[in-house]
Amino acid sequence: MAESANRLGEYLRARRELVRPEDVGLPAVGRRRVPGLRREELALLAGISSDYYLRLEQGRDRHPSEQVLDALARVLRLDDDATAHLHRLARPAPRRRRPRRPEGVPAGIQQLVLSWTRNPAFVQSRYMDILFANPLAIALSPLCRPGVNVVRALFLDPEIREAHGSEAATAGVVAGLRALVGPDVDDPPLAELVGELSVRSERFRRLWARHDVKPKAGAGTSTFQHPQIGPIELSYEKLAVTGTEGQLLVVYHAAPGSPAEQALALLSGLAADAGQGPRSGPRSGPGSSPESSPGNGPGAVGPQPSPDGWLRS
């Protein structure tokens, strides 16, 4: 990927083009050949020379000080997450070679997930592949089925894209993917996924080029619209699975005695009647299509999450 050769410069250029002159107190007069700020304007506002900033953006200087990075972040109007990402790009950790084999979920985590009979739970990879899920999660949403890649499904599956592919939802998922992988954008599985989506989805290509970074919150609430039970508002927790390459354990829960707890009890009964057993599967390959993922094709049947569901959490 082109951005891997000069990650810091690509990020600075992308974010510079998103800042309007009037956002930083500059008059927006005359015809401008480039969107956003000019290089010399950003350099002036950050208190550095135009030549030095040009070297940073072109990748000829890759060792800016923390003070320079913070000054650039201030002018670029970056929040705390984006500022931290900027610092990581300037000082990336040594890359570790990852084996190309199907990603597995630790046996203890699988047992834990299956032990929660009243809590939908699943494990996702750093690429947002669903690796393992309990029956209640599968009954709650087809997007919780192992083998489904959340990003691919949201952008390429026609039904899911139509129902949940709002600008806010797609932007949030792409920014979340950026946050999960960090500076390691040339990781081969990620490169394959991004390459496929960039070719097949103009919306993804546009959002990925923005370089937005927004980690998914570790806790919050989501609302699911189940076709048989109706709306189910659940709290969730996202926990890192230690000893893995960025896996997350996502668990939903309801307050005792709440309508949501009763809804989960009904959903558990429906799952048992449908004979849904625990499922696991290898991480869906970057080249696989939505139709080849379980529960993620155009003919898939099952509950659909509302636009305020876990994709936007």
Side-chain angles (χ1 to χ4, degrees), residues 50-287:
S50 297
D51 180 67
Y52 179 58
Y53 176 77
L54 179 62
R55 295 201 306 271
L56 286 177
E57 195 168 284
Q58 291 181 342
R60 292 186 286 122
D61 189 319
R62 304 194 182 194
H63 304 285
S65 68
E66 293 188 0
Q67 292 79 6
V68 167
L69 293 173
D70 287 338
L72 291 171
R74 174 180 52 80
V75 179
L76 294 173
R77 304 166 63 87
L78 303 183
D79 60 17
D80 291 343
D81 294 322
T83 300
H85 182 70
L86 175 65
H87 280 265
R88 288 194 296 269
L89 290 175
R91 293 168 180 80
R95 182 183 172 191
R96 293 189 298 170
R97 183 179 295 274
R98 295 184 176 89
R100 298 296 300 272
R101 60 172 181 263
E103 186 172 355
V105 177
I109 297 297
Q110 294 187 33
Q111 293 174 4
L112 179 62
V113 169
L114 294 179
S115 72
W116 288 321
T117 58
R118 293 298 178 94
N119 298 92
F122 61 86
V123 178
Q124 74 172 33
S125 75
R126 69 197 296 263
Y127 312 106
M128 295 192 182
D129 297 302
I130 305 302
L131 302 175
F132 191 84
N134 63 14
L136 196 54
I138 295 171
L140 182 64
S141 169
L143 283 170
C144 298
R145 292 180 178 272
V148 170
N149 178 274
V150 174
V151 189
R152 182 183 290 110
L154 184 62
F155 282 92
L156 301 184
D157 182 280
E159 291 186 355
I160 292 177
R161 185 177 63 233
E162 181 179 355
H164 315 297
S166 68
E167 193 70 21
T170 51
V173 166
V174 173
L177 180 63
R178 280 268 189 196
L180 284 173
V181 300
D184 200 9
V185 293
D186 55 354
D187 183 42
L190 176 70
E192 292 176 14
L193 177 63
V194 170
E196 176 197 1
L197 291 172
S198 296
V199 169
R200 301 179 63 185
S201 171
E202 188 278 332
R203 179 182 294 182
F204 176 87
R205 185 168 58 252
R206 172 169 49 85
L207 290 172
W208 187 256
R210 287 176 55 92
H211 288 248
D212 290 330
V213 176
K214 194 67 177 178
K216 295 292 186 179
T221 59
S222 294
T223 301
F224 295 84
Q225 186 68 40
H226 193 278
Q228 295 170 277
I229 297 176
I232 309 175
E233 183 176 351
L234 300 172
S235 300
Y236 66 82
E237 310 292 334
K238 296 184 178 182
L239 310 171
V241 179
T242 58
T244 68
E245 293 287 349
Q247 291 181 13
L248 287 177
L249 170 60
V250 183
V251 188
Y252 291 98
H253 57 95
S258 66
E261 185 183 49
Q262 300 174 15
L264 285 181
L266 290 173
L267 187 62
S268 179
L270 291 176
D273 292 341
Q276 287 182 323
R279 300 187 185 187
S280 64
R283 183 180 62 81
S284 55

